[in-house]
Every structure is written in structure tokens, then in C-alpha cells.
């Protein structure tokens, strides 16, 4: 599936907000997420830090891509630079078409969204993804061939 195609299994909502759940008093129980506004995204719970979590749409069959990205990141940033890389398959209408990479530097800090497929307009080039992560976990360290133009 190219980065410009729409997943026919999910048909993600383009720019529409999902229905917000309410409690018995009619109050919102969860803040709504705008699929194109990273400031409204809710990250998954963290692992030992520093850690990376890759959220992906399982219905779009992106598990292979997510596991390939995780392998590349673990090889580039071996422990203790990155202590964990987790894959989080998602399978709901609200998460259709999702591919996000989160970086957790510590339990005290909010996680950093490194990449979102919908916001960025496609999947990350591995070189760019590695550079963004390196700039946060090992600024100034060369990535070798990934830093060459």
C-alpha cells in the first residue's frame, strides 16, 4: 500500500473527530483527539526509559513495517541508549491508518511524538527517523552513513 492510498479495511476519518464517550451525567470521559493535531494525541503507557513505542494500525497490515522499524532502531540505538522498543497494534475505527513513533525519555517527562504518518503525509524514511531520535537521546553523535547526504 503506498503512502497516498487509503486503507480500504479501515477507511480512517479524514479530519473528523470521533464520537467522544460520556458518562451517565453527560460529561466527557476522554478528551477528543483531532487526527491531524499532534497536541491532542494520547501516548500509550511507557516502558523502562528511554523507550520507543510504535503504534500501528493492525487492520492496515503494518505489523511487518513496525517490526522492521523497531529492529532498525534497536540496532542503531542499543541499550542503554534505548532500553525498550514496543509495538502496539491498534484495531479500531479511531486508530485506522495510524503509524506513530513515540519517544519516552523519562517517567517524569511527557513523551515526544517523533513521527505520525497522517501529520507527516507518509511513512518515515528510516534515516530521518533515526536522526530525530538521535537528536533527543544522543545529540552530536554521528549516525555514520545515516548522516550522509
Amino acid at each position: 500500500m503506498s503512502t497516498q492510498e487509503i486503507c480500504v479495511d479501515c477507511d480512517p476519518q479524514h479530519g473528523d473527530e470521533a464520537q467522544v464517550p460520556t458518562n451517565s451525567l453527560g460529561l466527557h470521559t476522554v478528551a477528543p483527539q483531532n487526527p491531524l493535531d499532534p497536541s491532542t494525541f494520547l501516548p500509550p503507557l511507557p516502558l523502562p526509559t528511554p523507550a520507543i513505542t510504535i503504534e500501528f494500525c493492525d487492520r492496515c497490515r503494518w505489523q511487518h513495517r513496525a517490526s522492521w522499524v523497531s529492529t532498525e532502531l534497536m540496532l542503531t540505538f542499543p541499550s542503554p541508549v534505548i532500553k525498550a522498543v514496543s509495538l502496539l497494534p491498534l484495531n479500531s475505527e479511531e486508530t485506522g491508518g495510524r503509524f506513530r513513533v513515540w519517544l519516552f525519555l523519562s517517567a517524569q517527562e511527557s513523551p515526544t511524538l517523533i513521527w505520525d504518518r497522517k501529520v507527516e503525509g507518509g511513512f518515515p524514511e528510516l534515516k530521518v527517523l533515526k536522526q530525530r531520535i538521535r537528536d533527543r537521546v544522543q545529540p552530536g553523535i554521528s549516525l555514520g552513513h545515516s548522516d550522509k547526504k
Side-chain angles (χ1 to χ4, degrees):
M1 174 177 293
S2 78
T3 58
Q4 299 302 320
E5 293 178 20
I6 297 173
C7 175
V8 294
D9 293 330
C10 303
D11 191 24
Q13 300 170 3
H14 297 285
D16 295 336
E17 292 187 14
Q19 292 291 334
V20 179
T22 56
N23 62 17
S24 61
L25 299 174
L27 301 173
H28 294 294
T29 56
V30 190
Q33 289 189 45
N34 178 338
L36 297 178
D37 181 3
S39 67
T40 65
F41 298 165
L42 299 174
L45 296 175
L47 294 170
T49 56
I52 294 171
T53 297
I54 301 171
E55 295 179 289
F56 65 94
C57 177
D58 191 40
R59 299 185 322 171
C60 295
R61 294 174 175 46
W62 290 339
Q63 181 174 354
H64 182 71
R65 182 183 299 264
S67 60
W68 170 68
V69 169
S70 72
T71 299
E72 287 292 324
L73 294 177
M74 285 302 292
L75 291 171
T76 303
F77 305 103
S79 191
V81 178
I82 297 294
K83 292 184 180 174
V85 176
S86 61
L87 301 180
L88 185 58
L90 303 169
N91 193 347
S92 71
E93 298 216 8
E94 297 81 34
T95 60
R98 181 174 295 178
F99 193 92
R100 292 181 185 161
V101 180
W102 294 91
L103 175 63
F104 297 85
L105 289 175
S106 72
Q108 292 78 29
E109 293 181 43
S110 294
T112 303
L113 179 65
I114 301 295
W115 193 272
D116 180 86
R117 187 190 69 81
K118 291 181 182 180
V119 173
E120 303 277 351
F123 290 101
E125 291 286 333
L126 214 44
K127 172 182 173 178
V128 173
L129 188 62
K130 288 178 180 182
Q131 288 170 343
R132 288 185 184 183
I133 292 170
R134 181 270 321 268
D135 291 347
R136 287 170 175 81
V137 298
Q138 291 183 311
I141 301 296
S142 173
L143 288 173
H145 69 281
S146 289
D147 277 335
K148 292 187 172 41
K149 293 185 179 188

